[in-house]
Amino acid sequence: MIVFTEIAALKAHLRTERFAAAHEGKVLQVGFVPTMGYLHEGHASLLRYARKNNDLVVLSIFVNPIQFGPNEDFDRYPRDPDKDKHLAEREGVDVIFLPSVEEMYPQPTKTIVRVEELTERLCGAARPGHFDGVTTVVSKLLHIVSPNRAYFGQKDAQQAAVVAQMVNDLNMDVEIVPCPIVREEDGLALSSRNVYLEPEQRQAALVLSRSLRDAEQTVRENDQITAGEIFRQITRSIALEPAAQIDYVEISYFPSLIALPDSMSVKDAEGDILIAVAVKFGATRLIDNIILAKEVS
Ligand code: AMP
């Protein structure tokens, strides 16, 4: 495993690897997993998908300042590059890209990649500018690595949809591979931010996955249940948790992220449905979601 901190050195290495493969008559397949580090089993699962389907696996670890709002947790976002390297080694990563902020942004970027509409709701409404930061950095990273496939977790379903839209709109030559959410045994979706939670908040945070599971069950059992009723069921259940403060509960078509009308029966809706929640526990904001695929709903 090689660790690069410089863009030029990483590009040169990837060029050499591609050239060597071409020399043997092969096209090197590169799988890429972009992260902000403080790796956990959710990230590990993406690395495993990448390892399985590519010749070379590149992991990037970069806490991207331009996707954090002024009052968000950029400075205190957890970082542990040594531990991350061990996990990466264990998962058979070939290359880690670990740039500094100065390497990625030697001067403030004057180019912003923005995906319209998809970024205006859910996390985009609560975090203005966040997705511009994400699409700009992901675009830079995709240009640097030029992977055949890039792996994104459905934990950040809106992010996966936004990146897929960007890649499609800009004719980028990469396949965006969405990967399922990895959870703790008790249901809590793994997140680097879970370390912020006090023990009581950690317990209270189970309301996210529980309310989503209950909603799925309700949809299964009731043909007529409407989006509005599901919304109220989830908000009621989260409101019972005194430590929880709802940021949003949204029921939308996926991946368009267009809201279902309140009166629409969830089962009758065309296509996949995303039920997404964002809830604050003190200063810590957690997100979770469930996608009801057409076969299920
Ligand atoms: P982050 O380091 O939080 O920016 O996440 C990097 C990638 O890992 C993103 O594509 C996330 O969606 C994905 N990811 C984070 N947590 C999970 C999880 N619990 N299950 C699956 N993927 C995840």
Side-chain angles (χ1 to χ4, degrees), residues 34-37 40 42-43 45-46 77 151-156 159 179-183 189-192:
T35 76
M36 298 204 298
H40 50 65
H43 300 112
S45 77
L46 305 192
Y77 194 83
Y151 295 81
F152 288 84
Q154 287 289 7
K155 158 85 179 1
D156 302 271
Q159 172 173 277
C179 304
I181 301 178
V182 177
R183 299 177 179 282
L190 293 184
S191 163
S192 306

Side-chain angles (χ1 to χ4, degrees), residues 204-280:
L206 295 177
V207 73
L208 275 78
S209 53
R210 194 171 60 236
S211 63
L212 290 168
R213 253 194 340 261
D214 290 349
E216 183 180 29
Q217 182 76 6
T218 305
V219 173
R220 273 224 189 89
E221 288 169 358
N222 185 339
D223 274 354
Q224 294 311 310
I225 198 92
T226 64
E229 283 161 336
I230 289 294
F231 171 86
R232 285 188 289 280
Q233 177 184 319
I234 295 173
T235 45
R236 262 201 310 271
S237 126
I238 299 175
L240 288 175
E241 211 36 88
Q245 196 196 334
I246 296 178
D247 185 346
Y248 66 72
V249 173
E250 296 266 6
I251 302 162
S252 358
Y253 293 99
F254 188 83
S256 72
L257 305 181
I258 294 169
L260 253 72
D262 273 2
S263 57
M264 167 72 91
S265 141
V266 177
K267 267 211 172 137
D268 289 346
E270 288 287 318
D272 295 349
I273 304 300
L274 172 73
I275 307 180
V277 298
V279 178
K280 273 184 148 180

